[in-house]
Amino acid sequence: MDLNRTKAILGDLIAFPTVSSDSNLDLLSYAANLLEQLGARIELTSDGTGRKGNLFASFGPDIAGGIVLSGHTDVVPANPDEWVGDPFEMREADGRLYGRGACDMKGFIAAVLAKAPELAESAKNRPLHIALTFDEEVGCLGAQRLVSALEGREALPSLVIIGEPTMMGVIDGHKGCCEYVTRFQGLEGHASNPGGGVNAIHFANRYVSRLLALGEELKNQADADSVFDPPHSTLQVGRIEGGTARNVVAGSCEIDWEIRPVKRGDEEHVKDQLGFYCEEVLLPEMRIISPAAAIDLEVVAEVPGLTPIPDNTARKLLFELTGEETSDVVAFGTEAGLFQSLGMHVAVCGPGSIDQAHKPDEFVSLDQLSACLTMLDGLSAKLREET
């Protein structure tokens, strides 16, 4: 019966086309309705435009030390031409449930909503919270707002389980992800006299060279006992766009680049070094020709990693609930580091494989959903034991 209810809820969730560029409010309304009927205290936080939001539902006493089950509601786009069926209509075949977001990560959310009656009933002495966020796929924007709303509360939860797809393995560490756009404003001119303009592409190229040199420096700063692969923070440029034609001195250029920090503070070091290089080297040269020349850095997202810690109560709880005995680290990012920044203990564990995420015909298996439901049954039992 639990699996059938989970399947029905997952079908409903997939039918909400919550691509990051679109609203998730209808999905939140659906979840809020289910949870309010069970007596949940519902808090909604907006993205500022009124088109998206977070839901934070609470069962049990309004005290500190609660457990959070967290999932993001947004999904990546889906091209119907690449799918067997409609990406936003759940399809079942061969023990699998197909649909955009099936594993990343509406499968986990569906399981939590299906087990909400038992979880609510069990949360008599220790709070149980359900967090649903927006825009994880484009920078964990919703979780940043949620964490800001939680910061400073006396009734702060103590541990968080993030239900990203891990094949129900226990993950206690991953790198951060910091994304940036650097824009160069030079001065257009005729290519027959390049010195009469300020070629934004040329200066952007020097910026990239400095960025890559900093990346080489980070390689030499890896901790000997790092659990990550590669063991050091990484830098990479993903897109460069500039200029108008080959016979025109490029007046503008922009670079999309990122840092995947292993150690906190590496991103600040890189930004500081690049800022110094711009102010002391590049801009003075650019402004000899054009005083209006500029270099601007846009911070798209700065999401901290999940740092493995020796005594992680979330990891310990998941070992008890899943029967796993070891944890691992992963390359992909989650919202976990944001919750950890508030002092909470955090681990990642959810149904499905990350190998299916963001691909056509994304699916979660029924076996994985069943394993997740078993874990949530164990959590309900654990809550009933709390005194």
Side-chain angles (χ1 to χ4, degrees):
M1 289 180 62
D2 287 342
L3 185 57
N4 287 337
R5 178 166 168 76
T6 303
K7 286 166 56 177
I9 292 174
L10 180 55
D12 292 341
L13 296 180
I14 288 172
F16 294 109
T18 52
V19 176
S20 301
S21 58
D22 299 323
S23 175
N24 71 335
L25 296 184
D26 288 343
L27 187 153
L28 292 189
S29 178
Y30 170 92
N33 182 57
L34 289 177
L35 297 171
E36 281 180 323
Q37 292 180 38
L38 301 171
R41 303 184 299 277
I42 302 292
E43 299 176 60
L44 297 173
T45 54
S46 172
D47 70 335
T49 70
R51 295 182 61 250
K52 301 177 187 179
N54 298 317
L55 179 150
F56 192 72
S58 301
F59 296 107
D62 186 19
I63 58 175
I67 298 171
V68 181
L69 301 174
S70 182
H72 65 80
T73 61
D74 62 315
V75 298
V76 297
N79 182 352
D81 294 338
E82 298 176 343
W83 287 65
V84 170
D86 184 343
F88 298 104
E89 182 176 335
M90 192 177 74
R91 177 174 62 89
E92 181 175 355
D94 301 321
R96 298 172 174 177
L97 301 175
Y98 292 85
R100 176 55 84 218
C103 75
D104 186 20
M105 54 183 298
K106 292 181 177 180
F108 176 75
I109 296 173
V112 170
L113 293 178
K115 297 301 296 184
E118 291 91 334
L119 292 166
E121 180 63 27
S122 301
K124 299 297 186 183
N125 299 302
R126 184 177 188 179
L128 187 284
H129 310 280
I130 297 171
L132 304 180
T133 61
F134 68 89
D135 283 1
E136 186 271 350
E137 299 289 4
V138 292
C140 299
L141 306 183
Q144 292 182 56
R145 282 187 175 262
L146 177 59
V147 166
S148 294
L150 293 175
E151 189 172 13
R153 290 192 182 188
E154 292 185 4
L156 191 69
S158 61
L159 65 87
V160 184
I161 296 172
I162 308 284
E164 291 277 7
T166 66
M167 294 296 286
M168 296 304 296
V170 179
I171 303 300
D172 66 353
H174 63 70
K175 295 181 180 181
C177 184
C178 302
E179 301 175 346
Y180 307 97
V181 180
T182 304
R183 296 183 175 89
F184 295 77
Q185 186 60 52
L187 178 66
E188 284 193 346
H190 198 286
S192 64
N193 181 24
V198 178
N199 195 311
I201 291 177
H202 291 183
F203 283 94
N205 180 60
R206 292 169 62 183
Y207 183 92
V208 169
S209 295
R210 179 66 182 127
L211 189 151
L212 296 179
L214 288 168
E216 290 299 311
E217 292 177 17
L218 292 176
K219 287 183 180 180
N220 299 322
Q221 298 174 13
D223 292 336
D225 59 351
S226 175
V227 295
F228 293 101
D229 181 21
H232 53 82
S233 299
T234 58
L235 293 171
Q236 79 99 26
V237 177
R239 186 186 68 92
I240 300 177
E241 182 176 341
T244 56
R246 71 174 61 89
N247 61 348
V248 178
V249 174
S252 63
C253 184
E254 66 178 38
I255 303 166
D256 288 359
W257 58 282
E258 69 164 28
I259 309 172
R260 297 288 175 120
V262 168
K263 294 186 293 186
R264 296 193 180 189
D266 280 354
E267 67 275 19
E268 293 301 326
H269 171 72
V270 168
K271 287 193 299 179
D272 288 346
Q273 290 297 310
L274 288 172
F276 178 84
Y277 184 59
C278 290
E279 291 295 329
E280 299 298 322
V281 179
L282 298 184
L283 280 171
E285 292 184 28
M286 296 169 73
R287 287 172 176 168
I288 291 173
I289 304 299
S290 175
I295 304 174
D296 296 310
L297 177 70
E298 176 190 350
V299 178
V300 178
E302 291 183 325
V303 182
L306 175 60
T307 303
I309 60 175
D311 186 22
N312 185 332
T313 57
R315 179 183 61 215
K316 180 181 178 182
L317 174 61
L318 283 170
F319 283 169
E320 296 175 8
L321 299 180
T322 64
E324 295 287 323
E325 298 179 349
T326 59
S327 59
D328 202 353
V329 299
V330 291
F332 64 86
T334 78
E335 299 168 332
L338 291 164
F339 289 102
Q340 189 180 55
S341 70
L342 292 184
M344 302 179 193
H345 288 198
V346 191
V348 184
C349 179
S353 169
I354 195 65
D355 292 338
Q356 296 302 319
H358 300 192
K359 294 181 179 179
D361 295 320
E362 176 184 347
F363 69 84
V364 64
S365 72
L366 296 177
D367 287 345
Q368 281 289 296
L369 285 180
S370 294
C372 185
L373 291 169
T374 298
M375 183 267 284
L376 294 172
D377 281 334
L379 178 59
S380 292
K382 192 76 176 175
L383 287 170
R384 287 194 295 271
E385 295 171 3
E386 298 282 349
T387 57

